[in-house]
Each structure stands twice: as C-alpha cells, then as structure tokens.
C-alpha cells in the first residue's frame, strides 16, 4: 500500500472528532514530522484476526491496539452473537496484567452493553482458563480475553472465545472477520458507558463462587491428590508468574493440592505490564526464568515453574549435577502423558475409549506412548483453538470417548474438560504432582525422561523462530513459504524426502492452513508455519533416532538437529 494511501488514512484519523484529542494529536504529530514509516505501520492495513485473535502494538491507528479498534472488534463479535438469535445473550470478559488490559476489557463490556448483550467481567485480572470456565458456567454465547500472551510489553491483544469455551473457529471466526472489515465508520459502533451498563443490569462483575468452583474442579482432575496431600511438603517449588496473572490462582491451586513449600520470586510476583525484570515474559525462554533459577539455587529447591502473563503456558527448569536444565514443551508433555497413562493403567481406569489430542507439530513420541496404552491420538493444526475444537467435536459425535490430555509443543497443556483452552494453573499443579511422584521414586525429571526414552525410543525436537517485522517482514515470510512450496530436490542434507505436505490445500481432514510439512524416509520431520499473531515464521525440527545406545541416539540427534536448523535459517535469509 502506498504512502499516499496511508497518509490519507492518517489525516482522516487526525481530523475525525470521534477520536479523543490525545489520539488525534498523536497521529497529527506523525504527519507534522513526516514520519512516513510510522504512518505506514499504523495505517497500511486493518488489524487481522489470526489463530488466536488479534495482537498489535498499543497506539493509535487502524493497525494498532487502542480503544477504537477494540470497540470495532467487539462490535463485530456482538453482531455474530446477535445473529445466533439467542433470547438472552451474554458474554464473559477477562484480562491479564498488560498495559491497558483492564481499560480495554471495560471498553469491550461497554460495546456489549450497547448492543443489548449482558457482559460478565472479572473484578480482577484472571488467566485464560478462568475466562473459558466462566463462559461455560454462565452458558454465555462468547467471551473475550484481553491479552497479548507472552509478547513484549508494547503489545496488547484480543482473543475471542465461543459458547463452548474454546477459541472461536469456523464459520464464526470468519463471520467476525467479515463483520470487522465491514465497519468503515468507528462512530457506528454501539457503546453504553460502563456505569450506565451496570445500572441497566447489562454489565455484571463475575461472582467469587465461579473462581471457587474452578479451583474445586481442577483439584478433582489431578491423578493422585492423596499422594500430594500426604507428601506435598517434600517438594520444594520456586514459582514465578513473571509479572502476569498467575500469582493468586497458581499459589492457590498448589496450596489446595498440598504443596506447602512454595516460594514465589518476589521481584516478579506482582502484576506489571512493563515486565521490568525480563526482556520478554515468555516462560519458554530460559532468560525469563533466570531470577527463578537463581532463587532455586539459593533455596536448593527441586523445581522451577513459570507462567506467562495470561497464565496459559508453563515453563520448567531443574538443576542436575550442577547444571540447570530447561525442559522443552515436548518433554513436559511427554512426562505428563506418561505419568497420567501409567497411573491410570495401574489404577485400572483406562477404558479403551480414552483419547489424547495434540498438534501436528508436537512430538510423535507422544503418539507412540499413547498408542502403547491403547489410547487414541487425534492430531490437529497448531493452536488450542483446534485442539479444543476437536474435543468439542468428539463430545458431540462420539460421547463415549473419554478425554485424558491435550498438549502442544509451545508449552500449553490441558488435563481436564472444565475449560477449553490451555490452562497454566492446572498445568502447574499437575507438574508439581509429576515432579513429586518421581522424587519419591528417587529420580529427577531428566532421569524420568530417560526411562521413557529407553522404553519408547528417543525423539528430539528443536524450534527455529525467525522474526521479520513490518511490511517488509510480512513479504519476506511469504517468499520463504513460496520457496519451500516449490521445493524440488529429493533430499535435504542427505535425508531422503518421502513426502511434502501442503496443509494450505486442506489435507488429512484438517482445515486449510499455511503450513508445510517435510517427511523424511528415516522418520525425521520438519514443519514450516508463519505465526498467525506475531511477525515470525517457525520451523519445527523433529529427529527420530532408533539405533545405538541412548547416549549415541542423543548425540546423533543433536548433530542432525543442528544441521537442519542451520540449513533452514540460511535458506530463509536468502529468500
């Protein structure tokens, strides 16, 4: 889009008295200083809904998160809810610790009220799982989570959930997108001031009992609560919410389960959208857990656990022989599913109708483990919107099937059916139970993993994530995907290619998605996927080693993974 087009849009914003004086002045300053690059970034497109809703940098303009784009998004959602012709429509709202999250949550409530839809909103910040739980509790038509998950502090965002408590899926998501794109006049959005909405009974604070019922529900979902109640004090835990929404719910869940030796990183305990102690509040990154690891050293604790701002991801670190080990999302998933299935088998509670759900980019070793216990595995596209969508589908079409566990490699887990998104609160509780179980058996989590590898085979997974920002970045990511779609060689680094799958064609019963999968004759796999909500492209490397000792398998897998990472990085830079 040309600078002239974006400049026209910027001038229209700056001159529109619907926007606040502060908002107009911010854009006028860009015009006055001829800041064409920033004008382009703010106006070259409307915000788009991706796999998790929409995210952007906070600021003014149609391509930024602000009260006006949140109003517009909420109006689009309201129109889709009203199209369902419910006699008493309602929606639920939660929000995390990010800058403006509470204010934007209130803005969403005002638009819901303006459309005659009742808005239930939490009195304080709460994780994603508690939003999903509230939607299901209130039997609401939809819900909104104001969050940008683990993005840097300058971001905020908006995740949309449907009546089942899961993130919105087709056709409703596309309808909302169409509604959003059809709104050309911000002043057409219906808004009722928050106080007026309360007086009219159209805005209501969510009652404390909803949260209490959630804690009771996830407590029941644990495998061996008696083990935790009797021995919980034997596991020393360091936990960090990384300035997010997790402090109260995760501390409460651990306490309810019987873990009494829990230490929170004091500098990261309180909610703070600036995330002042980390570069990025993402527990997938070792750097985000550094302060927790330092506290683990000081206290000689057994395990570090960290959650992101909206508390849907779990990161784990332990120390073995003086070396800090950061578990991958796949390793955490392997430990959890193996523990659940082995304990269910011991108790005789596997029914033959049990199933697990995972994303296609999550380790195939999880399939191997589940199948060995007679448990079916359903693979979905990346994202818990698809994972929970599959759960909801099976609940309707095959109600005899019993859900056990869901996971994706990006540190998201769900071990119950009370919410329909990844749940960092129950994940923290369950991880504590898994760690306690193995500690009582005299082994650490790496030793527990090695036992699993010895029995089921070794699998190594690595993630290459390349950031390409702005308009130029978006174009580069598109070129990378095009180049690999047109890939014509029969091998990569000597690995013979058995098949290349283009998921944009809607294969294997999955919705169309911008994903490419390389499948090699030796069992190795590589997936390419642009993020739906962030300016990056991800390469998922999965190495299978079947020959030699476990030590040799690990070494060979590391060498091959490094070669693949170097190859795909170099190929991307050339695009």
């Amino acid at each position: 889009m040309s600078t002239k087009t974006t400049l026209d849009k910027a001038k229209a914003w700056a001159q529109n008295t619907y926007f606040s004086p502060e908002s107009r002045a911010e854009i006028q300053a860009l015009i006055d200083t001829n800041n064409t690059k920033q004008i382009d970034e703010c106006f070259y497109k409307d915000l788009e809904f991706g796999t998790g809703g929409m995210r952007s940098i906070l600021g003014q303009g149609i391509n930024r998160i602000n009260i006006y784009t949140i109003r517009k998004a909420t109006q689009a959602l309201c129109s889709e809810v009203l199209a369902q012709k419910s006699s008493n429509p309602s929606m639920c709202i939660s929000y995390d610790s990010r800058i403006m999250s509470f204010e934007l949550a209130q803005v969403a409530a005002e638009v819901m009220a303006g459309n005659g839809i009742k808005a239930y909103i939490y009195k304080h910040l709460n994780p994603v799982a508690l939003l999903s739980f509230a939607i299901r509790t209130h039997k609401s038509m939809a819900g909104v989570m104001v969050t940008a998950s683990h993005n840097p502090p300058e971001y905020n965002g908006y995740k949309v959930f449907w009546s089942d408590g899961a993130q919105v899926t087709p056709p409703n998501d596309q309808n909302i997108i169409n509604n959003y794109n059809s709104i050309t006049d911000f002043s057409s959005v219906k808004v009722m001031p928050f106080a007026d909405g309360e007086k009219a009974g159209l805005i209501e604070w969510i009652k404390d009992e909803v949260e209490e019922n959630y804690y009771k529900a996830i407590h029941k979902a644990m495998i061996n609560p008696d083990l935790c109640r009797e021995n919980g004090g034997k596991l020393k835990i360091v936990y960090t919410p990384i300035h997010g929404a997790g402090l109260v719910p995760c501390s409460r869940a651990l306490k309810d389960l019987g873990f009494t030796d829990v230490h929170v990183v004091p500098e990261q305990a309180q909610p703070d959208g600036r995330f002042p102690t980390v570069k990025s509040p993402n527990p997938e990154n070792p750097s985000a857990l550094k302060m927790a690891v330092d506290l683990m050293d000081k206290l000689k604790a057994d395990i570090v656990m960290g959650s992101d701002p909206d508390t849907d991801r779990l990161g784990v670190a332990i120390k073995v022989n003086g070396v800090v080990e950061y578990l991958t999302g796949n390793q955490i998933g392997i430990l959890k599913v193996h523990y659940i299935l082995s304990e269910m088998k011991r108790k005789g509670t596997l029914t033959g109708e049990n199933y697990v759900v995972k994303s296609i980019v999550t380790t195939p070793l999880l399939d191997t483990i589940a199948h060995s216990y007679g448990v079916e595995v359903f693979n979905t596209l990346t994202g818990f919107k698809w994972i929970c969508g599959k759960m909801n589908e099976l609940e309707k079409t095959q109600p005899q099937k019993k859900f056990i566990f869901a996971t994706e490699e990006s540190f998201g887990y769900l071990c119950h059916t009370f919410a329909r998104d990844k749940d960092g609160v129950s994940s923290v509780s369950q991880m504590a139970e898994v760690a306690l179980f193995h500690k009582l058996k005299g082994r650490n989590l790496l030793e527990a993993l090695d036992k699993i590898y010895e029995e089921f085979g070794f699998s190594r997974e690595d993630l290459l994530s390349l950031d390409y920002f702005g308009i130029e970045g978006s174009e580069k990511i598109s070129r990378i995907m095009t180049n690999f779609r047109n890939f014509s060689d029969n091998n990569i680094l000597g690995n013979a290619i058995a098949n290349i799958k283009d998921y944009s064609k809607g294969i294997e019963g999955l919705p169309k998605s911008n994903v490419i999968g390389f499948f090699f004759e030796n069992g190795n796999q590589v997936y390419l996927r642009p993020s739906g909500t962030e300016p990056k492209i991800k390469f998922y490397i999965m190495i299978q080693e079947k020959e030699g000792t476990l030590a040799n398998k690990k070494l060979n897998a590391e060498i091959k993974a490094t070669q693949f990472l170097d190859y795909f990085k170099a190929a991307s830079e050339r695009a």
Side-chain angles (χ1 to χ4, degrees):
M1 186 172 289
S2 69
T3 300
K4 183 177 184 299
T5 303
T6 56
L7 180 59
D8 288 343
K9 291 183 178 182
K11 288 179 178 178
W13 186 290
Q15 294 165 8
N16 190 339
T17 56
Y18 174 78
F19 304 119
S20 72
E22 294 80 11
S23 173
R24 295 163 59 199
E26 183 174 319
I27 299 304
Q28 188 61 50
L30 297 179
I31 298 169
D32 292 343
T33 57
N34 197 30
N35 191 338
T36 55
K37 180 176 175 57
Q38 194 61 33
I39 289 171
D40 280 352
E41 292 294 346
C42 292
F43 288 95
Y44 85 96
K45 66 174 183 177
D46 282 300
L47 281 180
E48 298 173 355
F49 281 80
T51 56
M54 64 182 194
R55 297 179 199 172
S56 185
I57 293 169
L58 285 160
Q60 303 308 306
I62 60 175
N63 190 36
R64 291 291 184 257
I65 292 290
N66 50 63
I67 65 172
Y68 309 108
T69 51
I70 293 295
R71 282 180 182 173
K72 182 177 174 180
T74 308
Q75 182 63 57
L77 173 58
C78 288
S79 296
E80 178 65 5
V81 166
L82 292 172
Q84 311 306 310
K85 305 295 185 183
S86 171
S87 60
N88 189 27
S90 70
M91 286 193 258
C92 296
I93 306 170
S94 187
Y95 48 93
D96 67 7
S97 62
R98 286 188 169 272
I99 295 167
M100 283 192 73
S101 280
F102 180 52
E103 291 84 350
L104 296 176
Q106 289 180 298
V107 165
E110 291 176 334
V111 177
M112 293 172 192
N115 281 268
I117 298 172
K118 185 159 188 173
Y120 293 100
I121 181 170
Y122 277 109
K123 291 180 286 188
H124 46 248
L125 74 173
N126 256 323
V128 167
L130 272 154
L131 170 68
S132 180
F133 189 80
I135 293 169
R136 294 171 68 84
T137 297
H138 288 289
K139 295 182 171 53
S140 293
M141 294 295 298
V144 167
M145 181 76 192
V146 179
T147 179
S149 189
H150 53 274
N151 279 47
E154 59 268 26
Y155 282 76
N156 212 326
Y158 187 92
K159 293 171 84 171
V160 177
F161 293 73
W162 205 239
S163 57
D164 50 19
Q167 291 180 52
V168 64
T169 54
N172 305 107
D173 57 353
Q174 189 59 52
N175 293 340
I176 295 166
I177 292 167
N178 293 341
N179 293 342
Y180 184 89
N181 292 336
S182 70
I183 299 172
T184 57
D185 182 0
F186 282 97
S187 66
S188 68
V189 175
K190 299 175 182 177
V191 179
M192 179 182 290
F194 197 90
D196 293 347
E198 284 189 280
K199 290 177 184 177
L202 285 169
I203 298 177
E204 182 178 316
W205 300 104
I206 295 174
K207 293 181 172 56
D208 294 344
E209 66 187 58
V210 173
E211 295 169 80
E212 291 300 317
N213 289 337
Y214 166 80
Y215 293 123
K216 292 175 184 175
I218 64 169
H219 183 84
K220 290 178 182 177
M222 296 301 111
I223 298 296
N224 283 319
D226 290 345
L227 177 83
C228 301
R229 187 178 64 254
E230 294 166 7
N231 301 281
K234 297 176 182 177
L235 186 76
K236 182 171 285 190
I237 299 168
V238 169
Y239 167 69
T240 175
I242 318 180
H243 307 289
L247 175 65
V248 172
C250 289
S251 299
R252 165 70 185 273
L254 288 169
K255 181 180 178 182
D256 285 354
L257 201 52
F259 292 98
T260 57
D261 199 358
V262 179
H263 305 266
V264 178
V265 178
E267 299 90 342
Q268 298 178 328
Q270 296 306 313
D272 188 338
R274 300 169 301 158
F275 311 118
T277 64
V278 293
K279 182 177 180 181
S280 177
N282 187 353
E284 301 177 45
N285 300 332
S287 60
L289 298 179
K290 183 182 184 305
M291 297 186 81
V293 166
D294 290 344
L295 186 58
M296 175 177 66
D297 277 345
K298 180 180 178 181
L299 300 177
K300 295 186 172 21
D302 297 298
I303 187 171
V304 159
M305 292 187 283
S307 57
D308 58 344
D310 58 348
T311 321
D312 62 357
R313 282 176 169 83
L314 165 69
V316 175
I318 59 174
K319 196 166 189 177
V320 179
N321 298 325
V323 178
V324 178
E325 303 283 352
Y326 297 91
L327 301 190
T328 68
N330 282 305
Q331 289 174 327
I332 295 169
I334 289 167
L335 285 166
K336 283 173 174 277
V337 80
H338 182 262
Y339 172 72
I340 294 168
L341 296 181
S342 60
E343 284 299 287
M344 289 183 72
K345 181 179 180 180
R346 181 182 67 81
K347 292 180 175 183
T349 55
L350 287 173
T351 67
E353 293 286 357
N354 302 104
Y355 72 93
V356 166
V357 192
K358 60 181 269 294
S359 68
I360 56 175
V361 298
T362 299
T363 176
L365 183 56
L366 195 143
D367 300 71
T368 303
I369 295 169
H371 292 156
S372 75
Y373 285 93
V375 172
E376 193 170 3
V377 178
F378 292 93
N379 283 278
T380 73
L381 295 177
T382 305
F384 258 76
K385 67 179 290 182
W386 303 114
I387 287 173
C388 292
K390 174 58 72 172
M391 290 172 60
N392 293 328
E393 174 194 322
L394 293 171
E395 202 171 66
K396 295 173 183 174
T397 61
Q398 300 182 62
Q400 77 280 6
K401 290 192 176 295
K402 304 297 181 185
F403 171 79
I404 291 180
F405 186 68
T407 181
E408 62 180 3
E409 55 74 40
S410 56
F411 296 73
Y413 316 95
L414 182 63
C415 62
H416 57 80
T417 59
F418 308 112
R420 295 299 159 94
D421 205 339
K422 50 186 176 283
D423 180 1
V425 182
S426 64
S427 295
V428 164
S429 299
Q430 187 182 61
M431 195 69 232
E433 181 178 327
V434 172
L436 174 63
F437 172 83
H438 289 297
K439 183 177 184 181
L440 294 175
K441 295 289 185 181
R443 54 180 172 253
N444 60 53
L445 293 179
L446 286 191
E447 291 167 334
L449 279 167
D450 282 348
K451 280 180 60 68
I452 295 171
Y453 294 144
E454 292 282 9
E455 182 176 356
F456 298 100
F458 183 71
S459 178
R460 177 189 173 110
E461 297 79 29
D462 286 87
L463 175 66
L464 172 65
S465 182
L466 301 176
D467 295 318
Y468 296 109
F469 295 97
I471 302 169
E472 297 88 350
S474 178
E475 292 171 348
K476 185 173 181 66
I477 289 171
S478 180
R479 288 197 302 273
I480 293 169
M481 293 298 289
T482 298
N483 288 352
F484 281 108
R485 278 200 169 89
N486 297 327
F487 194 84
S488 58
D489 292 350
N490 59 12
N491 78 88
I492 293 178
L493 300 172
N495 294 267
I497 298 172
N499 193 12
I500 301 176
K501 297 180 181 180
D502 185 352
Y503 290 85
S504 69
K505 298 177 179 178
I507 61 176
E508 299 179 343
L510 299 174
K512 294 179 180 179
S513 183
N514 191 16
V515 178
I516 304 170
F518 284 78
F519 298 82
F520 300 91
E521 291 181 0
N522 56 15
N524 298 335
Q525 301 175 23
V526 178
Y527 288 88
L528 290 67
R529 171 184 167 266
S531 172
T533 54
E534 299 172 271
K536 63 178 59 180
I537 183 170
K538 295 180 179 180
F539 298 80
Y540 302 83
I541 316 293
M542 304 180 188
I543 308 296
Q544 312 293 304
E545 284 296 319
K546 301 168 185 172
E547 303 297 331
T549 64
L550 181 57
N552 285 338
K553 290 175 185 175
K554 289 182 177 181
L555 179 59
N556 291 336
E558 182 179 4
I559 292 170
K560 291 179 181 178
T562 301
Q563 291 173 340
F564 269 125
L565 290 168
D566 291 343
Y567 171 85
F568 282 101
K569 184 175 182 180
S572 297
E573 291 303 316
R574 290 193 300 269

